[in-house]
Amino acid sequence: MFFNLLKVMSSGAAAQGVNFLCVLLISTQFADSEIALFSKVIALTAITIVCMDFGCNQLIVSRSNKGVDRYVLIIKLSAIVSSLVLFALFWDALASLYNIPLDILPYFLFYVITTSLSNSIAYSLQGKGDMRFFLIVFYGRVITHFSILFLFLVFDASSQPYMDWLIIGCIVNLAFVLVFGFWKKQKISLERHDGLLNSSLKKSMLYFLSALAVVLMLRVDAIILGGISDEWLAEFFKVKAIALGISLVSTSFSHMFMTKIKQYTINGWPGYMREVCKAFLMFLPVSIIMLIMAPTVYSNLYGDISTSANYIMLILICAYSTGVITNPINALLLRAEKASILFKMNIIQLIIIYGLSSLLAAYSPVYVAMAIFSAHVFSLVFTLKYVRSHNVQIFRKIKASFEVN
């Protein structure tokens, strides 16, 4: 486990490191309005990419041993075309609502298309257990993207960060799609996976709605605080950049368990939970260090930390820490194609976050952080309870997927 985790964490750390350097430069060199605009553009691209993926990446992971299922390919291409049409039609309204420049539309659309395609390639490699090339595609493009952006920000302080981010991302994503899409050719399965197109479409729809809910939860600061105060949004953006260091660790565990899930599920639910507990014990010192050091890091980077920023920092670190347990368990649900369960869980999380934030965010951005924490705790309890009750069925389905494929 240790060496697999080290591979994923080192790749993730490099990606998070250059990402953080870019965020640091943007948050120190540009005004709050520019920081807020950058945050809004990132949020909008994330939502669009989810629409283009339409839940297909989760099906690609669970069905990729024989190549990309033809039904999944049909759904994916249809989702890309539909998303292009819808966002082109409603772009004026979206840009007006969030005060985003209209002229970024071509770069925006090209960026989301190439990102969606490169995501599919990465998840196909993950489903096949090819950790090496999965890490190269998934994290390598992020490292390349933000490394080039960092150089642009250093040598051209007068640039527009959101535009540089889009243009560089277009070029990097296209390069990765061309190189790994053709070199590591993904075989398209000519066989039906589970009988009917309707079955794949239903699952992809549920995965899409779940993924959309997750993105909306991740971008709640931009969506809720963006309509209240750019100053509050900029503060939350800075704090979140530091707190996401914990999310990097929990995401690394998730990718490790998903890529090596055949190995970790051999001994059933008790054996799997032993591995999850080992992972949590490895992570615990990191969480404690982050809780102690994060306010100091913020002060050194941005100056004195306000009371609200300090509370937001501590709450978000605690919230993201739950992912070390939740994410590996969610990997079981994904591999077993429990789309409806993931959908229910994420919808309830979304209601918790936006319900509390809508009611209380106008008083303080701290309440947004508290809403995020509440949703993460719910997710932890829900997944543990469900998988424990249905572990026999889930592990049988996972084992069968490897036997069939």
Side-chain angles (χ1 to χ4, degrees), residues 10-189:
S10 58
S11 302
Q16 186 72 15
V18 292
N19 187 353
F20 179 73
L21 288 175
C22 291
V23 170
L24 177 60
L25 279 177
I26 292 169
S27 59
T28 54
Q29 291 185 4
F30 295 92
D32 285 350
S33 58
E34 284 289 330
I35 298 172
L37 180 56
F38 183 67
S39 179
K40 292 172 187 176
V41 171
I42 290 177
L44 191 56
T45 55
I47 294 170
T48 311
I49 291 166
V50 168
C51 293
M52 288 189 171
D53 289 341
F54 204 74
C56 291
N57 289 337
Q58 288 83 350
L59 291 177
I60 287 172
V61 169
S62 61
R63 302 181 180 185
S64 59
N65 285 353
K66 290 179 69 176
V68 180
D69 185 272
R70 65 174 180 176
Y71 288 159
V72 176
L73 182 64
I74 292 170
I75 296 169
K76 173 87 176 183
L77 294 176
S78 300
I80 290 177
V81 173
S82 301
S83 300
L84 282 175
V85 173
L86 287 174
F87 275 87
L89 288 174
F90 293 100
W91 179 254
D92 287 355
L94 287 170
S96 175
L97 179 63
Y98 288 104
N99 295 317
I100 297 174
L102 291 172
D103 57 358
I104 71 168
L105 179 60
Y107 307 101
F108 174 87
L109 292 178
F110 193 77
Y111 175 80
V112 293
I113 292 171
T114 52
T115 301
S116 179
L117 293 175
S118 58
N119 282 345
S120 295
I121 294 171
Y123 285 113
S124 177
L125 294 167
Q126 184 183 50
K128 294 177 186 213
D130 192 341
M131 180 175 286
R132 179 187 173 192
F133 282 101
F134 164 71
L135 294 177
I136 291 174
V137 178
F138 192 82
Y139 287 116
R141 62 195 168 100
V142 176
I143 294 170
T144 306
H145 182 185
F146 281 91
S147 295
I148 298 172
L149 177 62
F150 177 77
L151 294 176
F152 267 73
L153 294 173
V154 168
F155 294 105
D156 186 9
S158 62
S159 64
Q160 296 175 309
Y162 65 89
M163 185 62 81
D164 291 339
W165 180 76
L166 284 174
I167 295 174
I168 296 168
C170 290
I171 297 170
V172 171
N173 283 329
L174 179 61
F176 272 78
V177 168
L178 292 176
V179 171
F180 291 95
F182 288 97
W183 178 44
K184 298 286 289 183
K185 288 182 177 137
Q186 305 300 306
K187 184 175 69 172
I188 298 174
S189 173

Side-chain angles (χ1 to χ4, degrees), residues 247-265:
S247 182
L248 159 68
V249 181
S250 62
T251 302
S252 298
F253 281 107
S254 176
H255 288 315
M256 181 190 70
F257 275 91
M258 179 61 82
T259 307
K260 299 295 182 181
I261 199 164
K262 184 177 181 180
Q263 171 187 334
Y264 292 130
T265 53

